[in-house]
Amino acid sequence: GLDPRVVGFDLGKFSSDILSARHFRGLTQRVAAEKMGMTAAAIVFLENGKAHPLVTNFARLVQFYKLVPTDYL
């Protein structure tokens, strides 16, 4: 898969969207992380725009939150 850091990935939009999606669903970072098989720390870093997602985590997040992957390119 593509590495988001290489293809002009819009980290700011992604971070904002996953934070909004989690709040909309009423989930804590810990619960969201557990449901997606991720760590709560990964969720924190991604929601704060402090890290680019691994391709596997990007796929988990867009699938879980029903986001459009191409919105971030």
Side-chain angles (χ1 to χ4, degrees), residues 24-71:
F24 179 77
R25 286 163 179 75
L27 301 173
T28 64
Q29 290 170 326
R30 183 182 57 79
V31 170
E34 288 173 0
K35 289 180 176 290
M36 287 182 273
M38 297 171 62
T39 65
I43 298 292
V44 170
F45 277 103
L46 293 168
E47 287 182 352
N48 290 323
K50 302 294 185 194
H52 282 79
L54 299 172
V55 173
T56 52
N57 287 344
F58 176 73
R60 288 175 180 155
L61 286 155
V62 296
Q63 182 177 25
F64 183 76
Y65 289 132
K66 300 186 178 8
L67 304 173
V68 178
T70 53
D71 283 355

